[in-house]
Amino acid sequence: MNLEQISQDRIVKESKSRAFVRQNMSTLSIFGILLAISIFFSIMTNSFLTVNNSLNIIVQVAPNIIVAVVMTFVITTGGIDLSVGSVLALASALTAVLLSNGFGSLATLIIVLIAGIAVGLINGFAIAQFKIPPLIVTLASMIYIRGLALLITGGYSIAILSEYSISQLGQGRVLGVPIAVIFAAIFVALGILLLRSTKYGNYVTGIGINEEAIRRTGVNTVKVKIMTYMLSGASAALAGIIIATRLGSGSSNIGNMFELDIIAAVVLGGTALFGGAGTVVGSVIGVALIGIIKNGLTLMHVSPYIIQITEGLVLLFAVILNVRVFRNKK
């Protein structure tokens, strides 16, 4: 190979590197912020970088990652799902109630997942078929699903005994790795594959860019959107089961502000808030960032009210950053 060929190869590699950085600038920026915040908390607290705390963070964010992966698809279509926190609460409540009334673990798992899928089906059908704005549909779902969870439990927490095999979803380990983390990893891998390498992923992105153009190519956009919201409901239900079995109780009060954490994570990670571009890896980084901020502030003994204020500011920052990034790309 002569010098001219070497020079050409180097130019090609450099251009590819620049293109990669340009296309993933928002995700890389958030990853840089994640590293900076991690360094800050490691300096401010002695317990942040310990193995136990790191495992604790991973286990706590695993359900969030599961929902964030699917929320990436929802937002990429140009939609939004505000009901995931309430579906999570409903799943938690249903799991405890069904088990306490003699249902087996497998039957409980199936029923709860079907309930989550049903919520997604209703949301998706109203949004796709009747053209009602996703914000309105899922806001209504957020309210009535939370009310249903309260009705089922009467507002009380219901114990879930560890003797049930379903409890392994929240407490079990395989070769030392928490099952919840394994599920999160599977969702991430499948999410990346679906979004990047399948027709479904192309349709999801295309709908976010120009739904009418995609529809005219023969794609059933109504079916794609309904399927996406059904997946969102199922992921929130699974997350609810994992959290309930990890805590050992089902409650209608869990999942408050959960949907905002998920949306903030997804838009922080680089998914376009108004659709047309999504990144599963970025969403995972966004979830990790929010989880680390909460954990670090807790270790610093910061008031929970300050933590809530911080969450709100992170969401605001995420929206502003997202809008500016994708406005500049147009």
Side-chain angles (χ1 to χ4, degrees):
M1 183 178 292
N2 56 39
L3 291 176
E4 184 177 349
Q5 288 176 319
I6 294 174
S7 178
Q8 288 177 347
D9 290 342
R10 185 176 298 170
I11 291 172
V12 170
K13 289 180 181 179
E14 288 178 354
S15 63
K16 287 182 178 179
S17 299
R18 290 195 192 98
F20 175 82
V21 171
R22 186 169 58 253
Q23 292 172 0
N24 298 277
M25 180 59 71
S26 57
T27 302
L28 293 172
S29 298
I30 294 303
F31 183 69
I33 294 173
L34 174 67
L35 291 177
I37 289 178
S38 298
I39 292 171
F40 170 77
F41 285 131
S42 66
I43 294 172
M44 297 300 295
T45 65
N46 294 325
S47 55
F48 178 77
L49 278 184
T50 61
V51 174
N52 286 338
N53 187 60
S54 298
L55 289 174
N56 181 48
I57 293 174
I58 293 171
V59 171
Q60 286 186 343
V61 302
N64 298 52
I65 288 174
I66 290 171
V67 181
V69 167
V70 184
M71 185 68 78
T72 303
F73 286 78
V74 173
I75 295 179
T76 300
T77 65
I80 200 164
D81 191 350
L82 297 177
S83 68
V84 289
S86 295
V87 173
L88 184 143
L90 177 64
S92 170
L94 269 178
T95 299
V97 169
L98 290 172
L99 291 173
S100 64
N101 281 278
F103 284 78
S105 293
L106 180 59
T108 298
L109 177 64
I110 293 172
I111 292 171
V112 174
L113 289 177
I114 288 175
I117 292 170
V119 174
L121 175 62
I122 294 170
N123 287 342
F125 190 80
I127 292 164
Q129 189 66 44
F130 296 116
K131 310 298 181 185
I132 303 174
L135 181 68
I136 303 301
V137 173
T138 59
L139 178 61
S141 295
M142 180 179 73
I143 297 170
Y144 78 76
I145 295 299
R146 178 74 65 174
L148 185 58
L150 285 164
L151 179 64
I152 290 173
T153 61
Y156 297 98
S157 295
I158 301 173
I160 298 175
L161 301 179
S162 58
E163 64 190 40
Y164 292 108
S165 58
I166 196 174
S167 294
Q168 294 301 307
L169 290 176
Q171 301 176 12
R173 292 173 179 262
V174 176
L175 300 177
V177 180
I179 292 176
V181 175
I182 295 173
F183 269 99
I186 292 172
F187 265 74
V188 172
L190 289 176
I192 293 172
L193 179 65
L194 284 174
L195 193 59
R196 292 182 178 179
S197 307
T198 66
K199 289 183 179 180
Y200 171 69
N202 292 334
Y203 296 158
V204 165
T205 303
I207 288 171
I209 295 172
N210 190 330
E211 182 175 352
E212 182 60 22
I214 295 296
R215 187 187 65 79
R216 289 184 178 181
T217 64
V219 176
N220 188 338
T221 57
V222 171
K223 181 179 178 180
V224 172
K225 292 173 79 171
I226 290 175
M227 185 185 303
T228 303
Y229 281 94
M230 289 172 67
L231 289 173
S232 180
S235 68
L238 177 59
I241 296 171
I242 289 173
I243 292 175
T245 53
R246 188 186 77 215
L247 298 177
S249 66
S251 172
S252 57
N253 295 316
I254 71 168
N256 286 314
M257 307 295 289
F258 178 82
E259 59 280 337
L260 298 185
D261 277 353
I262 299 302
I263 293 168
V266 173
V267 298
L268 263 174
T271 295
L273 184 59
F274 301 108
T279 164
V280 172
V281 173
S283 297
V284 174
I285 295 173
V287 170
L289 176 61
I290 293 174
I292 285 173
I293 290 174
K294 286 183 178 182
N295 178 266
L297 291 177
T298 301
L299 292 177
M300 290 175 63
H301 304 292
V302 173
S303 166
Y305 306 120
I306 300 298
I307 294 176
Q308 184 171 342
I309 293 170
T310 303
E311 288 183 56
L313 291 175
V314 168
L315 177 58
L316 179 61
F317 171 75
V319 172
I320 293 173
L321 178 65
N322 192 275
V323 170
R324 287 181 63 86
V325 167
F326 286 99
R327 181 180 294 164
N328 291 336
K329 286 184 178 182
K330 292 182 178 180

